Protein backbone atom coordinates (compact mmCIF):
# COMPACT_ATOMS: atom_id res chain seq x y z
CA UNK A 1 0.00 0.00 0.00
CA UNK A 2 1.46 3.35 -0.99
CA UNK A 3 1.96 6.14 1.51
CA UNK A 4 -0.91 8.63 1.61
CA UNK A 5 -0.47 11.95 -0.10
CA UNK A 6 0.63 14.67 2.32
CA UNK A 7 -0.48 18.25 1.82
CA UNK A 8 1.64 20.91 3.49
CA UNK A 9 -0.52 23.98 4.00
CA UNK A 10 -1.50 26.51 6.63
CA UNK A 11 -4.52 26.21 8.94
CA UNK A 12 -7.95 27.57 7.98
CA UNK A 13 -8.55 31.26 8.50
CA UNK A 14 -11.52 33.62 7.98
CA UNK A 15 -13.69 30.75 6.79
CA UNK A 16 -11.19 29.84 4.06
CA UNK A 17 -9.21 26.57 3.90
CA UNK A 18 -5.92 28.46 4.26
CA UNK A 19 -4.44 31.91 4.71
CA UNK A 20 -2.64 31.28 1.40
CA UNK A 21 -4.76 31.47 -1.78
CA UNK A 22 -2.54 28.91 -3.52
CA UNK A 23 -3.00 26.51 -0.60
CA UNK A 24 -6.77 27.07 -0.60
CA UNK A 25 -6.90 26.42 -4.33
CA UNK A 26 -5.01 23.14 -4.13
CA UNK A 27 -6.91 21.75 -1.14
CA UNK A 28 -10.18 22.69 -2.82
CA UNK A 29 -9.09 20.88 -5.98
CA UNK A 30 -8.22 17.78 -3.92
CA UNK A 31 -11.71 17.74 -2.44
CA UNK A 32 -13.36 18.36 -5.79
CA UNK A 33 -11.36 15.49 -7.28
CA UNK A 34 -11.93 13.13 -4.35
CA UNK A 35 -8.20 12.85 -3.65
CA UNK A 36 -7.44 11.58 -0.16
CA UNK A 37 -4.70 13.41 1.70
CA UNK A 38 -3.19 14.01 5.10
CA UNK A 39 -2.15 17.36 6.55
CA UNK A 40 0.99 16.95 8.65
CA UNK A 41 2.44 19.83 10.64
CA UNK A 42 3.66 22.41 8.16
CA UNK A 43 7.41 22.29 7.55
CA UNK A 44 8.36 25.40 5.57
CA UNK A 45 11.99 24.37 5.54
CA UNK A 46 11.14 21.27 3.50
CA UNK A 47 9.32 23.11 0.71
CA UNK A 48 11.13 22.20 -2.54
CA UNK A 49 10.55 25.65 -4.06
CA UNK A 50 10.70 27.54 -0.79
CA UNK A 51 6.94 28.18 -0.96
CA UNK A 52 3.70 26.56 0.05
CA UNK A 53 1.72 24.58 -0.75
CA UNK A 54 3.76 21.52 -1.42
CA UNK A 55 2.93 17.85 -1.33
CA UNK A 56 4.72 14.61 -0.62
CA UNK A 57 3.70 11.88 -3.07
CA UNK A 58 5.37 8.50 -2.87
CA UNK A 59 8.11 9.98 -0.72
CA UNK A 60 8.88 12.74 -3.23
CA UNK A 61 8.21 16.42 -2.58
CA UNK A 62 6.56 18.57 -5.22
CA UNK A 63 5.74 22.28 -5.18
CA UNK A 64 3.50 24.71 -7.10
CA UNK A 65 -0.25 24.11 -7.03
CA UNK A 66 -0.66 24.28 -10.81
CA UNK A 67 2.10 21.74 -11.45
CA UNK A 68 0.77 19.46 -8.73
CA UNK A 69 -2.67 19.47 -10.34
CA UNK A 70 -1.11 18.74 -13.74
CA UNK A 71 0.88 15.88 -12.20
CA UNK A 72 -2.33 14.41 -10.79
CA UNK A 73 -3.99 14.72 -14.18
CA UNK A 74 -1.15 12.88 -15.89
CA UNK A 75 -0.61 10.17 -13.27
CA UNK A 76 -4.15 9.57 -12.01
CA UNK A 77 -6.22 10.65 -14.98
CA UNK A 78 -8.11 13.29 -12.98
CA UNK A 79 -9.28 16.10 -15.26
CA UNK A 80 -11.96 18.36 -13.80
CA UNK A 81 -11.89 20.37 -17.03
CA UNK A 82 -12.80 17.38 -19.22
CA UNK A 83 -16.25 18.82 -20.07
CA UNK A 84 -14.74 22.05 -21.42
CA UNK A 85 -14.28 22.74 -25.13
CA UNK A 86 -10.83 23.86 -26.33
CA UNK A 87 -12.06 27.47 -26.36
CA UNK A 88 -13.41 27.15 -22.81
CA UNK A 89 -10.14 25.62 -21.65
CA UNK A 90 -8.30 28.60 -23.12
CA UNK A 91 -10.56 31.04 -21.29
CA UNK A 92 -10.19 29.11 -18.05
CA UNK A 93 -6.41 29.07 -18.38
CA UNK A 94 -6.27 32.82 -19.01
CA UNK A 95 -8.45 33.63 -16.00
CA UNK A 96 -6.51 31.27 -13.75
CA UNK A 97 -3.22 32.87 -14.78
CA UNK A 98 -4.68 36.34 -14.15
CA UNK A 99 -5.74 35.40 -10.64
CA UNK A 100 -2.49 33.65 -9.83
CA UNK A 101 -0.03 36.04 -11.44
CA UNK A 102 -1.79 39.41 -11.14
CA UNK A 103 -4.61 39.39 -8.60
CA UNK A 104 -2.30 37.64 -6.13
CA UNK A 105 -0.19 40.78 -5.89
CA UNK A 106 -3.28 42.79 -5.06
CA UNK A 107 -3.79 40.40 -2.13
CA UNK A 108 -0.24 41.16 -1.01
CA UNK A 109 -0.90 44.89 -1.19
CA UNK A 110 -4.19 44.47 0.64
CA UNK A 111 -2.72 42.55 3.55
CA UNK A 112 0.72 44.06 3.96
CA UNK A 113 0.54 47.62 2.67
CA UNK A 114 -2.82 48.96 3.81
CA UNK A 115 -1.74 50.14 7.25
CA UNK A 116 -4.92 49.30 9.16
CA UNK A 117 -4.98 45.81 7.62
CA UNK A 118 -1.34 45.17 8.46
CA UNK A 119 -2.05 46.03 12.09
CA UNK A 120 -4.35 42.98 12.17
CA UNK A 121 -2.40 40.74 9.85
CA UNK A 122 0.99 41.21 11.52
CA UNK A 123 0.01 39.08 14.49
CA UNK A 124 -1.31 36.30 12.25
CA UNK A 125 1.94 36.13 10.27
CA UNK A 126 4.10 36.19 13.38
CA UNK A 127 2.04 33.53 15.11
CA UNK A 128 2.11 31.28 12.07
CA UNK A 129 5.85 31.46 11.45
CA UNK A 130 7.10 31.76 15.03
CA UNK A 131 4.60 29.92 17.21
CA UNK A 132 5.45 30.04 20.89
CA UNK A 133 8.05 32.78 20.44
CA UNK A 134 7.96 36.01 22.47
CA UNK A 135 5.82 38.76 20.97
CA UNK A 136 8.84 40.84 20.00
CA UNK A 137 10.28 37.93 18.03
CA UNK A 138 6.95 37.35 16.29
CA UNK A 139 6.87 41.02 15.36
CA UNK A 140 10.39 40.86 13.94
CA UNK A 141 9.54 37.77 11.91
CA UNK A 142 6.39 39.42 10.56
CA UNK A 143 8.26 42.57 9.55
CA UNK A 144 10.86 40.43 7.80
CA UNK A 145 8.14 38.66 5.81
CA UNK A 146 6.62 42.03 4.92
CA UNK A 147 10.00 43.28 3.66
CA UNK A 148 10.35 40.17 1.52
CA UNK A 149 6.85 40.62 0.14
CA UNK A 150 7.68 44.22 -0.75
CA UNK A 151 10.84 43.14 -2.56
CA UNK A 152 9.02 40.40 -4.46
CA UNK A 153 6.17 42.72 -5.44
CA UNK A 154 8.56 45.38 -6.69
CA UNK A 155 10.48 42.79 -8.67
CA UNK A 156 7.27 41.57 -10.26
CA UNK A 157 6.20 45.15 -11.00
CA UNK A 158 2.90 45.35 -9.11
CA UNK A 159 4.67 46.79 -6.09
CA UNK A 160 5.88 49.77 -8.11
CA UNK A 161 2.32 51.05 -8.48
CA UNK A 162 0.82 53.43 -5.97
CA UNK A 163 -1.92 51.91 -3.87
CA UNK A 164 -4.54 53.80 -5.86
CA UNK A 165 -3.10 52.51 -9.14
CA UNK A 166 -3.06 48.96 -7.75
CA UNK A 167 -6.71 49.31 -6.78
CA UNK A 168 -7.63 50.11 -10.39
CA UNK A 169 -5.98 46.91 -11.61
CA UNK A 170 -7.52 44.90 -8.81
CA UNK A 171 -11.03 46.13 -9.57
CA UNK A 172 -10.58 45.24 -13.24
CA UNK A 173 -9.56 41.69 -12.29
CA UNK A 174 -12.43 41.02 -9.92
CA UNK A 175 -14.99 42.65 -12.18
CA UNK A 176 -13.84 40.40 -15.04
CA UNK A 177 -14.31 37.30 -12.87
CA UNK A 178 -17.73 38.55 -11.81
CA UNK A 179 -18.73 39.21 -15.42
CA UNK A 180 -17.57 35.76 -16.49
CA UNK A 181 -19.64 34.09 -13.76
CA UNK A 182 -22.71 36.23 -14.40
CA UNK A 183 -25.83 34.41 -13.24
CA UNK A 184 -24.26 30.98 -13.57
CA UNK A 185 -23.77 28.65 -10.64
CA UNK A 186 -20.23 27.76 -11.72
CA UNK A 187 -17.58 29.78 -13.49
CA UNK A 188 -17.63 28.10 -16.89
CA UNK A 189 -21.40 27.70 -17.02
CA UNK A 190 -21.38 23.90 -16.85
CA UNK A 191 -23.34 21.70 -14.47
CA UNK A 192 -20.31 21.00 -12.28
CA UNK A 193 -17.43 23.19 -11.06
CA UNK A 194 -14.06 23.06 -12.80
CA UNK A 195 -10.51 24.06 -11.91
CA UNK A 196 -11.35 27.74 -12.39
CA UNK A 197 -13.95 27.47 -9.63
CA UNK A 198 -11.29 26.27 -7.20
CA UNK A 199 -8.99 29.10 -8.24
CA UNK A 200 -11.65 31.82 -8.10
CA UNK A 201 -12.85 30.62 -4.71
CA UNK A 202 -9.32 30.77 -3.33
CA UNK A 203 -8.32 34.18 -4.68
CA UNK A 204 -11.63 36.04 -4.52
CA UNK A 205 -12.27 34.58 -1.08
CA UNK A 206 -8.97 36.05 0.10
CA UNK A 207 -10.65 39.45 -0.27
CA UNK A 208 -14.31 38.69 0.30
CA UNK A 209 -13.78 36.69 3.50
CA UNK A 210 -11.05 38.84 5.07
CA UNK A 211 -12.19 40.96 8.05
CA UNK A 212 -10.60 44.15 6.70
CA UNK A 213 -12.91 47.14 6.39
CA UNK A 214 -11.34 49.08 3.54
CA UNK A 215 -12.43 49.94 0.02
CA UNK A 216 -10.68 46.91 -1.53
CA UNK A 217 -12.53 44.55 0.78
CA UNK A 218 -15.81 46.37 0.30
CA UNK A 219 -15.46 46.17 -3.49
CA UNK A 220 -15.07 42.38 -3.32
CA UNK A 221 -17.97 42.00 -0.91
CA UNK A 222 -20.09 44.15 -3.25
CA UNK A 223 -19.73 41.65 -6.10
CA UNK A 224 -22.59 39.58 -4.77
CA UNK A 225 -22.41 36.84 -7.40
CA UNK A 226 -18.79 36.15 -6.44
CA UNK A 227 -19.64 36.14 -2.74
CA UNK A 228 -22.45 33.66 -3.45
CA UNK A 229 -20.01 31.53 -5.48
CA UNK A 230 -17.59 31.45 -2.55
CA UNK A 231 -20.44 30.43 -0.25
CA UNK A 232 -21.44 27.59 -2.60
CA UNK A 233 -17.88 26.30 -2.84
CA UNK A 234 -17.42 26.42 0.91
CA UNK A 235 -20.72 24.68 1.61
CA UNK A 236 -20.03 21.97 -0.96
CA UNK A 237 -16.40 21.20 -0.17
CA UNK A 238 -15.66 22.60 3.30
CA UNK A 239 -18.83 22.13 5.35
CA UNK A 240 -16.74 22.03 8.52
CA UNK A 241 -15.75 25.65 7.91
CA UNK A 242 -19.40 26.64 7.52
CA UNK A 243 -20.24 24.80 10.73
CA UNK A 244 -17.37 26.51 12.56
CA UNK A 245 -18.75 29.92 11.61
CA UNK A 246 -22.31 29.13 12.72
Amino acid sequence: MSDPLQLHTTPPLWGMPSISPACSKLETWFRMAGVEYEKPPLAFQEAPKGKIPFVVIGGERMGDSTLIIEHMRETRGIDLDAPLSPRERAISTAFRRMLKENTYWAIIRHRYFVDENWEQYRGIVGGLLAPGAPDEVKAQVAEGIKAGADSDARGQGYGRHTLEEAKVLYRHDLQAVSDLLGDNEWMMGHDAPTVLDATAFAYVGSFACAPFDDDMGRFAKGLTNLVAHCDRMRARYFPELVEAES
Side-chain angles (χ1 to χ4, degrees), residues 95-172:
F95 269 84
R96 286 185 283 117
R97 293 294 186 271
M98 178 189 74
L99 288 165
K100 181 178 178 181
E101 306 296 345
N102 198 66
T103 313
Y104 168 78
W105 296 103
I107 296 172
I108 294 299
R109 294 297 296 269
H110 190 227
R111 294 179 178 181
Y112 289 91
F113 301 105
V114 176
D115 290 343
E116 59 268 31
N117 296 350
W118 176 238
E119 287 300 315
Q120 299 181 60
Y121 194 57
R122 179 192 289 115
I124 295 172
V125 173
L128 179 65
L129 297 180
D135 288 345
E136 58 271 21
V137 173
K138 291 180 180 178
Q140 290 173 358
V141 169
E143 291 297 335
I145 295 298
K146 180 182 179 182
D150 185 34
S151 177
D152 289 346
R154 290 185 63 82
Q156 191 270 349
Y158 211 102
R160 298 176 186 271
H161 301 312
T162 67
L163 183 58
E164 292 305 312
E165 290 169 339
K167 289 177 183 178
V168 172
L169 302 179
Y170 150 78
R171 288 193 293 267
H172 287 173

Side-chain angles (χ1 to χ4, degrees), residues 103-108 110-111 170 174 202-212 216-217 220-221:
T103 313
Y104 168 78
W105 296 103
I107 296 172
I108 294 299
H110 190 227
R111 294 179 178 181
Y170 150 78
L174 261 63
Y203 286 81
V204 174
S206 293
F207 288 106
C209 297
F212 306 137
M216 294 178 79
K221 293 176 176 68

